Amino acid sequence: DDQAPTICGMHLKYVSLVTLAVQNAALSIVMHYSRVSTPPSLAYSTASAVLLNELLKGSISFIIALARVPQVAERPWHRMSFWTIVRELPYPWTSPFWWLCGEILSPDCWKLSIPAILYVVQNSLQFVAVSNLPVASFQVTYQMKILTTAAFSVALLRRKLTPIKWLSLFFLAIGVGIVQIQTAVGDAPVRNVVVGSAHDNAPYHIHVMSPLKGFGAVTAACFTSGLAGVYFEMVLKNSRADLWVRNVQLSLFSIIPALLPVLYSSPSSHISRGFFHDFFRHFGGWAWATVSIQVFGGLITAMVIKYSDNILKGFATSLSIIFSFLASVALFHFRITPSFIIGATTVLCATWMYNQPAGQETLSIPIPINIP
Ligand code: C5P
């Protein structure tokens, strides 16, 4: 029943792909702004953001998984009166709750520990990358994920790639290279001047970015993204366990690696006022917006991996380049340079080429013959 679900007559596969593209663009812009709009002394802790992301994603996945347990899902809620629902609400959940806990702690749950650790590392690297690169350059370079995803798909899922796909991967690397060089030599702005900050004691400040650090982080994040995505796809498609149960397992295993940096980042720059106070220090609206978009993205990514695959996911995220490119011209005064346009166009063309159906597939459509 999970194969091709629809929502309002549209395939969930395409709805989730377009939603992912919009989410990706929004995330890089909001995350970038949340980091560069305040001076370092007023910045929120990225370790807190990574941990909150996992806690929220895990809780939402748990609620969805619980609502999908047949005992709960098949109850005639729509035929009950409001007060009957209120009175009976606690009852049908208790035994599914314990049953679901058993499912989550099933003997094969350890398989999710590998992608869980990789995603925590990736989510932390993303903060470093987005704080040190212009949004558009970050987005284009992050397309190298397609390259690493393809490599891990070939190695772990034994997928075969056609010569066209290898060629498009080559163009992808070239395109990313062009964007990298132009950003690194200072063609694009590497200093982001924010005037009129919301904080009284910092009327304005200059956020200096370090492109080299940014590119290093983005490259490492591409590796963890490819490996984690393919590993998650392998676990998901080789077993019958529910997607939402798998998501809860993923978040559970993420908690330990996400908690360590929170515990070990000593509040050296300020006097500690207790765990929760330090945890939410400077955690304002932009930080919450970043975490919310990340949580939403995690849930959509899982659906995309389930209903299509990691390679189509790459296509969706490259669409998001266009959205965030236009937005960063408007919001961050990103300068459009010829080399950026050449590099970004190469990346988009390569992505399009990669996602062309193979020759045999298009030729194998049966042609109906009407003999009168
Ligand atoms: O860039 P990429 O598509 O690899 O990013 C995947 C993002 O989605 C990560 O931030 C990861 O935490 C999240 N994710 C998730 N649950 C999944 C798969 C991915 O939260 N099942």
Side-chain angles (χ1 to χ4, degrees), residues 319-368:
L319 263 184
S320 74
I321 293 182
I322 303 169
F323 300 140
S324 46
F325 174 62
L326 295 177
S328 52
V329 171
L331 298 173
F332 302 115
H333 311 291
F334 185 80
R335 257 190 307 134
I336 310 170
T337 58
S339 45
F340 181 86
I341 293 189
I342 295 168
T345 311
T346 313
V347 169
L348 284 177
C349 290
T351 311
W352 176 79
M353 213 164 116
Y354 190 93
N355 286 281
Q356 287 307 297
Q360 296 109 310
E361 280 169 34
T362 45
L363 290 174
S364 67
I365 299 166
I367 303 164

Side-chain angles (χ1 to χ4, degrees), residues 57 119 122-123 142 145 225 232 247 250 298 301-302 313:
K57 214 165 51 185
Y119 276 138
Q122 177 183 345
N123 289 344
Y142 211 20
K145 284 195 289 205
S225 164
F232 187 68
N247 261 353
L250 193 66
T301 301
K313 179 164 76 64

Side-chain angles (χ1 to χ4, degrees), residues 192-207:
N192 196 342
V193 185
V194 179
V195 182
S197 161
H199 301 274
D200 291 338
N201 51 348
Y204 78 90
H205 79 277
I206 295 173
H207 177 88

Side-chain angles (χ1 to χ4, degrees), residues 35 43-50 127 261-262 265 278-279 281-283:
R35 298 310 289 167
Y44 65 91
S45 151
T46 55
S48 303
V50 172
F127 274 106
V262 173
S265 60
D278 292 347
F279 187 84
R281 204 160 183 271
H282 304 312
F283 221 89

Side-chain angles (χ1 to χ4, degrees), residues 206-230:
I206 295 173
H207 177 88
V208 179
M209 296 192 254
S210 155
L212 203 62
K213 198 169 159 188
F215 282 127
V218 127
T219 308
C222 286
F223 277 93
T224 58
S225 164
L227 182 54
V230 170

Side-chain angles (χ1 to χ4, degrees), residues 91-369:
Y91 157 71
W93 305 93
T94 38
S95 67
F97 178 88
W98 294 114
W99 177 83
L100 187 59
C101 290
E103 281 287 289
I104 291 165
L105 300 174
S106 63
D108 74 342
C109 69
W110 61 268
K111 285 183 187 165
L112 275 299
S113 59
I114 294 168
I117 297 170
L118 290 170
Y119 276 138
V120 168
V121 173
Q122 177 183 345
N123 289 344
S124 313
L125 286 169
Q126 217 176 339
F127 274 106
V128 179
V130 100
S131 317
N132 288 293
L133 289 173
V135 177
S137 309
F138 164 74
Q139 281 267 325
V140 174
T141 319
Y142 211 20
Q143 292 310 299
M144 270 199 308
K145 284 195 289 205
I146 302 178
L147 203 71
T148 54
T149 305
F152 286 117
S153 296
V154 169
L156 298 176
L157 295 173
R158 304 254 169 264
R159 239 174 229 161
K160 293 252 182 314
L161 294 186
T162 57
I164 291 282
K165 289 202 196 280
W166 284 117
L167 190 68
S168 52
L169 290 175
F170 173 73
F171 280 126
L172 177 82
I174 302 244
V176 169
I178 296 171
V179 174
Q180 262 191 40
I181 290 165
Q182 70 105 31
T183 308
V185 297
D187 208 358
V190 290
R191 290 161 82 84
N192 196 342
V193 185
V194 179
V195 182
S197 161
H199 301 274
D200 291 338
N201 51 348
Y204 78 90
H205 79 277
I206 295 173
H207 177 88
V208 179
M209 296 192 254
S210 155
L212 203 62
K213 198 169 159 188
F215 282 127
V218 127
T219 308
C222 286
F223 277 93
T224 58
S225 164
L227 182 54
V230 170
Y231 206 100
F232 187 68
E233 188 176 343
M234 213 162 68
V235 174
L236 213 54
K237 294 184 177 168
N238 287 341
S239 75
R240 301 202 48 199
D242 188 64
L243 163 70
W244 302 102
V245 171
R246 290 300 191 200
N247 261 353
V248 177
Q249 294 172 331
L250 193 66
S251 289
L252 270 185
F253 278 109
S254 302
I255 290 177
I256 298 167
L259 194 61
L260 290 180
V262 173
L263 297 178
Y264 284 97
S265 60
S266 59
S268 51
S269 59
H270 63 273
I271 299 152
S272 173
R273 287 211 248 148
F275 179 78
F276 283 105
H277 189 274
D278 292 347
F279 187 84
F280 288 113
R281 204 160 183 271
H282 304 312
F283 221 89
W286 285 103
W288 279 111
T290 303
V291 171
S292 313
I293 300 174
Q294 250 181 332
V295 168
F296 181 64
L299 300 172
I300 294 285
T301 301
M303 287 170 72
V304 168
I305 295 179
K306 166 92 185 171
Y307 298 124
S308 43
D309 59 58
N310 272 297
I311 291 167
L312 264 167
K313 179 164 76 64
F315 185 60
T317 44
S318 79
L319 263 184
S320 74
I321 293 182
I322 303 169
F323 300 140
S324 46
F325 174 62
L326 295 177
S328 52
V329 171
L331 298 173
F332 302 115
H333 311 291
F334 185 80
R335 257 190 307 134
I336 310 170
T337 58
S339 45
F340 181 86
I341 293 189
I342 295 168
T345 311
T346 313
V347 169
L348 284 177
C349 290
T351 311
W352 176 79
M353 213 164 116
Y354 190 93
N355 286 281
Q356 287 307 297
Q360 296 109 310
E361 280 169 34
T362 45
L363 290 174
S364 67
I365 299 166
I367 303 164
I369 304 169

Side-chain angles (χ1 to χ4, degrees), residues 5-12 15:
T6 54
I7 184 167
C8 305
M10 292 175 292
H11 277 287
L12 206 52
V15 175

